[in-house]
């Protein structure tokens, strides 16, 4: 990756932030419904635990991961539901402990991958820092759902740099999951970091351009806010269309969020 930060260290810090949201929840609060239809806070954390377990296996035991991947059927959504369900069994204190263990395992396994070595993942082999950035995406999106449920305003930092690059790297996912043809264009992203720094990706002379705050780009690409509630601008017809379908994960798009759904406008 081209980011200047330590992606693994940022993954650890983001995990701690989400942990802080749920560490002191009462039993009843774990069952609060989140903006993701049918998912409680417990579902969100169970999904994170399952995802981090997969990442730890991919980084630390790649042959086992590939064997497990071969058993996943064509219904990706059903497969995700199946792997998270065991984490929902038992008391929620146990779920919290399991997620902490899975997170620590993934962080350690990713940090141990030699520089330059790729690890298997859902679509293709990728470098460990890119897989860590995918973990950042999971923490960002599911952490946002938990924060929205609890009424917590999150303070985002330049740890988003790797996630922003990840969004620009997988810009075509929104087309694939909808069965749309990927246009033969290049995008220029000019994204403002929380610190005010400018992060740019893509050719400077690209006709299709996206600009705006990093937080807003991540909220859009994780489908946690509607584009109408974000300060993102597009130049070019395809760039404008992209703002309608952008997502940085391979699963079903889902209904997303509606304009004005959240009281803070974001």
């Amino acid at each position: 990756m081209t980011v200047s930060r330590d992606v693994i260290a940022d993954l650890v810090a983001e995990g701690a932030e989400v942990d802080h949201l749920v560490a002191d929840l009462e039993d009843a609060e774990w069952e609060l419904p989140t903006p993701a239809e049918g998912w409680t806070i417990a579902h969100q954390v169970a999904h994170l635990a399952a995802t981090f377990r997969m990442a730890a296996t991919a980084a630390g035991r790649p042959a086992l991961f590939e064997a497990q991947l071969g058993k996943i059927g064509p219904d990706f959504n059903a497969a995700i539901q199946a792997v998270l369900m065991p984490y929902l069994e038992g008391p929620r204190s146990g779920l919290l402990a399991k997620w902490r263990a899975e997170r620590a395992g993934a962080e350690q396994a990713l940090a141990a991958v030699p520089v330059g070595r790729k690890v298997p993942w859902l679509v293709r082999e990728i470098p460990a820092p890119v897989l860590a950035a995918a973990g950042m995406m999971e923490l960002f999106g599911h952490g946002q759902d938990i924060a929205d449920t609890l009424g917590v305003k999150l303070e985002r930092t330049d740890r988003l740099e790797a996630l922003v690059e990840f969004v620009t790297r997988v810009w075509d996912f929104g087309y694939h999951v909808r069965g749309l043809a990927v246009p033969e264009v290049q995008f220029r992203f000019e994204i403002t970091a929380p610190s005010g720094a400018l992060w740019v990706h893509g050719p400077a002379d690209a006709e299709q351009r996206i600009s705006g705050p990093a937080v807003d780009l991540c909220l859009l690409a994780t489908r946690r806010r509607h584009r109408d509630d974000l300060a993102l601008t597009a130049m070019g017809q395809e760039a404008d269309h992209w703002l309608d379908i952008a997502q940085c994960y391979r699963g079903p798009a889902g209904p997303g969020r509606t304009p004005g759904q959240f009281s803070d406008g974001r």
Side-chain angles (χ1 to χ4, degrees):
M1 301 184 75
T2 61
V3 298
S4 59
R5 301 177 59 90
D6 182 335
V7 183
I8 307 299
D10 284 347
L11 179 70
V12 173
E14 286 297 310
E17 289 288 332
V18 177
D19 190 293
H20 180 72
L21 288 173
V22 300
D24 298 319
L25 292 183
E26 302 290 339
D27 288 348
E29 291 177 304
W30 282 94
E31 311 310 323
L32 290 172
T34 67
E37 184 177 354
W39 280 35
T40 64
I41 290 178
H43 284 90
Q44 300 277 356
V45 175
H47 176 83
L48 288 171
T51 302
F52 275 74
R53 181 180 179 85
M54 291 171 62
T57 305
R61 304 178 68 186
L64 176 60
F65 176 83
E66 290 178 327
Q68 293 174 342
L69 187 63
K71 298 178 182 178
I72 295 179
D75 189 338
F76 181 81
N77 198 38
I80 294 298
Q81 289 287 347
V83 296
L84 72 81
M85 291 308 294
Y87 291 98
L88 295 174
E89 299 171 356
R92 296 315 181 209
S93 58
L95 169 58
L96 181 61
K98 290 174 184 176
W99 177 52
R100 286 172 171 169
E102 304 293 17
R103 197 171 86 238
E107 293 163 355
Q108 293 165 11
L110 287 166
V113 176
V115 175
R117 178 180 295 177
K118 293 184 177 181
V119 299
W121 196 234
L122 302 178
V123 179
R124 64 180 71 89
E125 289 189 337
I126 56 177
V130 177
L131 182 50
M136 295 277 286
M137 176 266 293
E138 296 285 351
L139 291 168
F140 182 96
H142 296 288
Q144 186 66 53
D145 284 341
I146 294 169
D148 287 336
T149 302
L150 299 174
V152 175
K153 175 71 173 180
L154 296 173
E155 295 297 327
R156 302 296 190 179
T157 72
D158 280 14
R159 290 196 296 265
L160 292 181
E161 185 181 8
L163 178 51
V164 166
E165 187 188 57
F166 185 76
V167 170
T168 68
R169 179 187 292 264
V170 300
W171 67 272
D172 56 343
F173 277 12
Y175 299 92
H176 289 299
V177 299
R178 293 169 176 80
L180 302 174
V182 179
E184 295 183 2
V185 298
Q186 290 183 302
F187 284 80
R188 170 75 167 183
F189 293 87
E190 297 181 345
I191 306 302
T192 305
S195 66
L198 184 64
W199 296 332
V200 296
H201 298 278
D205 60 350
E207 295 182 358
Q208 307 297 321
R209 310 173 77 87
I210 304 290
S211 61
V215 175
D216 290 24
L217 180 70
C218 296
L219 287 168
L220 180 81
T222 56
R223 295 183 60 75
R224 265 52 186 191
R225 292 294 187 271
H226 192 276
R227 66 172 289 185
D228 290 355
D229 293 332
L230 302 172
L232 296 168
T233 60
M235 179 182 297
Q237 182 176 358
E238 198 58 57
D240 185 71
H241 180 227
W242 186 84
L243 291 182
D244 288 329
I245 65 170
Q247 72 177 72
C248 56
Y249 55 92
R250 273 287 195 173
R257 306 294 180 258
T258 57
Q261 181 174 348
F262 300 93
S263 59
D264 64 357
R266 300 182 58 196

